[in-house]
Amino acid sequence: MNKMGTITGFTFKNKVKTKSFMVTTIVLALLISIGLNVPYFITLFNGGSIGGASSSNPVNIGLLSTGQPEVSEKLESFSAAQGDQAYRFIASGDKDEAALAADAEAGLTDGYLKFEPVAGQEFPQPILYSAEDVSPQIIASIEAALQSVKLDVVVKDVLTAEQKELITTPVKLTEQSLSTDGSGASAESEGAMSPINYIVVYLLIILLFTSTMMTGNMIASEITAEKSSRIMEILITSVSPLSQMFGKIIGIFMVGMLQIGIFGAVVAGNILLPHNRAVLGDFNMNLSDVNIAVIVYGLIFYILGYFLYAVLFAAIGSMVSRTEELGQAVLPITMLSLVSFYIAIFSISTPNILLLKIASFIPFTSPTAILVRIGAGVAPTWEILTSLAILIVSIIIFGWLAAKIYRTGVLMYGKRPTFKELFKAMKAYKI
C-alpha cells in the first residue's frame, strides 16, 4: 500500500509540474473566462443598449399625447400602477413631436412614444423613437403594457377589472406524463428542466467526456512510454504491477480533479461578477435554481465513470510496446466514450426516450445518460441507485480483468499479443 502511495504521489507531482499541464490549464481557464464574458464585451463595444443588463437607471420615455390623450393617460396610469419598473412614461403636456425629439437628443429622455391613427381600427399604431437601441426586455414590457391598455380602450366598460385581468393573463400549458415511479407519483414533464440546470447538465456531460479522454490517454501513454523505454523492467522488480497500475490511475485522477477544481473556481468567479449576474437575470436564470442533486450525482458518476474508463486505458496501454501504436489501440475505448457522449447530448431535450433509459443501465454510457434524466427530474431513486450499483460492479470486474491484463502485458514486447496469447498468459498469473 505504501508503494502504491509513492507511485500515486510521484505520478501526481510529475504531471502537475509539466509545462503541458500548466499551459493547458492556463489557456483553458482564459478561454472559459473570455467565453463567459462575451456578452459583456459585446455590450462594451456596442456602447450598450438602453435598459440593458448593465443599466441601473430606469428608461425615461416621453408620451406624445396629441390626438390620443385617452391612450396616453391610460398607459401612464398603467405604468405607474406597476410599481418598480425598468422604464417610466413622462407626460409631454403641450409639447409637440419636435420638442420631444429635442429632449431625446439632449439626453433629457431616452426617447418618445407616438401613436399613429390606423384607418378602420379603434386602437392606434404605437411607434417608439429613440436615439439608441432599446433593450428587448424594455420593448417586451412596453408591449405588455400596450396590450393591457388596448383591451381597456376597445372593451371600455363592458368587462369588469377582474375579467380584463383574466383575459390578459397568459395561458400556460402544463404537460404531465402518464408514467409513474415506484412511489406512484407522476413523472415530471420532459421539458421541465430549467435553463440553468440545462446548462449545468450540458457542461457536466462535456466535462465528463473531455476529462475522461484526456486523463485516459494520459494513463495509457504513461504506461506505454515506460514500457517502450524498458523502465518497466526495473520498476516491476520493486513494485507490484497492481500497485503500479492503480497508483498511476489514482495519481492522474488527482491531476484531473485539480484541473476541474481550477476550472470550477474560474467559472464561479466569472459568474459572480456583477455584470454577468445581470446577464443571467435577463435570461431568467438564477443560481439558486440549480438542482444540487445534479451537482452531487454528477461528481459521483464522474468519479465512477473515470475509474471504469481508466482501468481500460491502463490495460490497453500495457499491451502496446510503442507509443506510435497507441492511438489505434485505444480507438475502441474512444468510440465507446463518443457513443456515451452523443447519446446524452442529443437526448438532453427528450430525457424520457427509451434509448436514454436503456443507456442509463449500461456502465459505459450510464455516467452521462443518467445525468440527463436526473437534471430533468425524471429519474426515480431506484433507477439512480441501480445505475450506481451496476457501475460499481462493472468497475470491480473490469478492474480485476485490467489488473490481470496489465500484469501480463507490461512484460510482453514485440507485436501486440493476440487474445489467445493474452488469455494463456493471464491464466498463469493470479491476482
Side-chain angles (χ1 to χ4, degrees):
M1 186 60 70
N2 289 336
K3 290 182 178 180
M4 188 171 77
T6 303
I7 295 289
T8 300
F10 175 79
T11 303
F12 174 75
K13 292 175 183 176
N14 190 40
K15 287 297 177 184
V16 168
K17 290 178 180 178
T18 57
K19 288 183 179 179
S20 60
F21 173 82
M22 294 180 183
V23 170
T24 302
T25 304
I26 292 170
V27 169
L28 288 177
L30 286 173
L31 289 175
I32 290 170
S33 298
I34 292 170
L36 291 172
N37 287 280
V38 162
Y40 177 64
F41 293 148
I42 292 173
T43 304
L44 283 180
F45 287 118
N46 289 342
S49 58
I50 301 175
S54 58
S55 177
S56 58
N57 299 321
V59 177
N60 297 315
I61 300 172
L63 285 176
L64 183 61
S65 56
T66 306
Q68 299 291 337
E70 182 186 7
V71 175
S72 298
E73 183 181 344
K74 288 182 179 294
L75 188 59
E76 188 179 358
S77 300
F78 178 86
S79 176
Q82 297 304 305
D84 185 20
Q85 286 281 335
Y87 68 94
R88 61 184 176 188
F89 292 114
I90 300 173
S92 62
D94 297 331
K95 290 183 178 180
D96 57 8
E97 186 174 358
L100 289 176
D103 286 348
E105 290 176 359
L108 300 176
T109 62
D110 296 301
Y112 66 93
L113 192 63
K114 180 182 179 182
F115 299 99
E116 292 281 0
V118 179
Q121 292 186 19
E122 192 171 349
F123 195 77
Q125 172 63 49
I127 302 173
L128 178 62
Y129 293 92
S130 61
E132 299 179 17
D133 292 336
V134 179
S135 75
Q137 291 79 17
I138 299 296
I139 295 293
S141 298
I142 295 174
E143 286 176 344
L146 286 167
Q147 186 66 34
S148 180
V149 171
K150 178 182 178 181
L151 177 67
D152 200 27
V153 170
V154 172
V155 301
K156 292 184 171 58
D157 297 326
V158 176
L159 301 177
T160 64
E162 291 77 12
Q163 289 173 326
K164 292 176 183 177
E165 184 179 358
L166 182 62
I167 290 173
T168 55
T169 302
V171 177
K172 293 185 178 180
L173 178 64
T174 301
E175 186 182 358
Q176 195 74 19
S177 174
L178 290 173
S179 61
T180 57
D181 57 25
S183 62
S186 296
E188 292 185 25
S189 162
E190 287 187 0
M193 196 185 303
S194 64
I196 191 70
N197 283 320
Y198 186 97
I199 293 171
V200 169
V201 170
Y202 198 92
L203 291 176
L204 284 174
I205 292 169
I206 295 174
L207 176 66
L208 181 61
F209 171 73
T210 53
S211 182
T212 301
M213 286 295 96
M214 286 174 62
T215 53
N217 279 287
M218 206 182 292
I219 291 168
S221 60
E222 178 91 358
I223 294 169
T224 304
E226 288 180 357
K227 184 178 174 181
S228 62
S229 63
R230 301 283 179 168
I231 295 175
M232 188 63 71
E233 295 177 2
I234 300 171
L235 290 173
I236 210 79
T237 60
S238 56
V239 183
S240 69
L242 201 61
S243 296
Q244 282 187 49
M245 186 183 82
F246 284 106
K248 291 181 185 299
I249 289 173
I250 295 171
I252 292 178
F253 166 72
M254 290 167 62
V255 173
M257 290 302 291
L258 174 63
Q259 206 167 37
I260 289 171
I262 293 170
F263 296 154
V266 170
V267 170
N270 280 279
I271 287 177
L272 292 175
L273 291 173
H275 57 266
N276 284 332
R277 291 172 70 180
V279 169
L280 288 175
D282 281 349
F283 288 98
N284 296 320
M285 289 188 289
N286 194 334
L287 292 178
S288 62
D289 294 334
V290 175
N291 187 353
I292 301 301
V294 176
I295 305 294
V296 174
Y297 282 119
L299 181 62
I300 293 171
F301 276 100
Y302 165 75
I303 293 171
L304 295 177
Y306 165 82
F307 278 103
L308 178 63
Y309 280 96
V311 294
L312 296 178
F313 273 106
I316 295 296
S318 68
M319 293 190 296
V320 178
S321 299
R322 297 187 302 169
T323 53
E324 293 84 358
E325 300 173 356
L326 187 60
Q328 184 181 358
V330 299
L331 186 60
I333 308 176
T334 304
M335 295 302 295
L336 272 176
S337 187
L338 279 170
V339 168
S340 173
F341 174 74
Y342 284 123
I343 286 176
I345 285 294
F346 290 126
S347 305
I348 197 168
S349 300
T350 52
N352 259 335
I353 61 172
L354 182 60
L355 175 63
L356 205 61
K357 290 180 179 179
I358 294 172
S360 298
F361 300 106
I362 299 173
F364 298 107
T365 56
S366 62
T368 54
I370 196 67
L371 197 59
V372 173
R373 292 177 54 74
I374 292 171
V378 295
T381 304
W382 70 265
E383 263 188 35
I384 300 172
L385 295 178
T386 304
S387 181
L388 278 171
I390 293 172
L391 192 53
I392 291 169
V393 171
S394 300
I395 292 171
I396 294 170
I397 293 171
F398 284 103
W400 173 81
L401 185 62
K404 297 203 75 169
I405 294 173
Y406 185 90
R407 185 168 185 172
T408 304
V410 289
L411 294 176
M412 297 181 73
Y413 291 91
K415 69 179 185 66
R416 203 183 312 164
T418 63
F419 285 110
K420 188 176 180 181
E421 292 171 342
L422 199 60
F423 183 71
K424 279 184 178 180
M426 284 168 62
K427 286 178 69 177
Y429 295 101
K430 292 184 179 180
I431 299 299

